Amino acid sequence: MRDLQGKVAVVTGASSGIGAATARRLHALGAHVVLGARRGDRLKTIADELGNERVAWAEVDIRSPRQVADLFACAVDAFRRVDCLIANAGVGAYGGILDLSDTEVEEVIDTNLTGTVWSVRQAVPLLTDQGGDIVLVSSVAGLRGRPDEAVYAATKHAVVGLAGSLDRELRPKGVRVTALCPGATDTEFAMGKGRFPDMPELRTMMRAEDVADAIAYALAQPASMRTLLWSMRSAMSEN
């Protein structure tokens, strides 16, 4: 296994859930972490929690290519390079294809797919000279869509396709690309848009820390190995 000590990892969607758990996990393993999310107050809280050592952050909406560029500029300014991108930022809303508003449809597509593409486009020039890792956080919905999540599933299928194509494009340049497909995870995801805090189903879901451990494991694989697609679910899940 590779040592992550000193590696520089950019994590999007880092203000809560899987992104925050991943930032904490990588930081605990000695990595430098660069946190990006729309809620700057939460990023500051996490940075303060980690002691602001080996941490940088920028308030960013990944739907904006300019703001994504600013996030990577923050990483280079703080740590001089980028070794890993964990493209985790995403949103969800449950409902039939006609139930979501136009604004909700645009937000899901622009965040989950377009924002992921903007993040990858900024990372690639920094990785191809030295090698590195890109982890795209998709979903089991990107492998098999269920009722009332068609738009979300479409974006996550697209992320899996993006990862597969990027693997073929970037592997000769020393960049590994992983599509991570977690099942239901107890986070703020879709809260109030199909999920609610008192749902008993939350108790059977994976924890954000479980997914963070998987991301760290993928990054720590020896250079001779690569993880293409990793699907995971809670042991208590019926799906």
Side-chain angles (χ1 to χ4, degrees), residues 27-50:
H27 188 269
L29 292 171
H32 298 70
V33 292
V34 183
L35 316 177
R38 288 182 289 185
R39 295 176 291 188
D41 56 335
R42 290 202 180 189
L43 296 179
K44 183 180 184 303
T45 297
I46 294 171
D48 290 345
E49 170 197 325
L50 298 176

Side-chain angles (χ1 to χ4, degrees), residues 118-130:
W118 295 141
S119 301
V120 169
R121 281 169 59 89
Q122 288 296 323
V124 166
L126 299 172
L127 296 175
T128 50
D129 286 342
Q130 63 188 33

Side-chain angles (χ1 to χ4, degrees), residues 133-213:
D133 282 273
I134 296 174
V135 177
L136 305 185
V137 179
S138 180
S139 167
V140 294
L143 304 174
R144 180 176 61 89
R146 301 178 65 188
D148 294 326
E149 59 176 28
V151 176
Y152 175 75
T155 64
K156 292 303 186 176
H157 272 78
V159 169
V160 171
L162 175 65
S165 183
L166 286 172
D167 169 70
R168 293 167 177 84
E169 176 184 342
L170 299 178
R171 179 166 49 91
K173 301 176 182 178
V175 180
R176 303 186 300 188
V177 182
T178 299
L180 198 72
C181 296
T185 307
D186 182 9
T187 67
E188 297 175 21
F189 172 83
M191 198 59 68
K193 296 183 178 181
R195 280 192 190 178
F196 302 93
D198 58 351
M199 289 175 61
E201 292 87 350
L202 294 177
R203 294 195 298 271
T204 68
M205 294 180 181
M206 292 188 297
R207 300 294 174 256
E209 291 76 14
D210 301 328
V211 184
D213 285 344

Side-chain angles (χ1 to χ4, degrees), residues 4-24:
L4 299 182
Q5 187 82 26
K7 297 294 185 182
V8 179
V10 174
V11 184
T12 67
S15 61
S16 64
I18 292 170
T22 298
R24 292 185 178 103

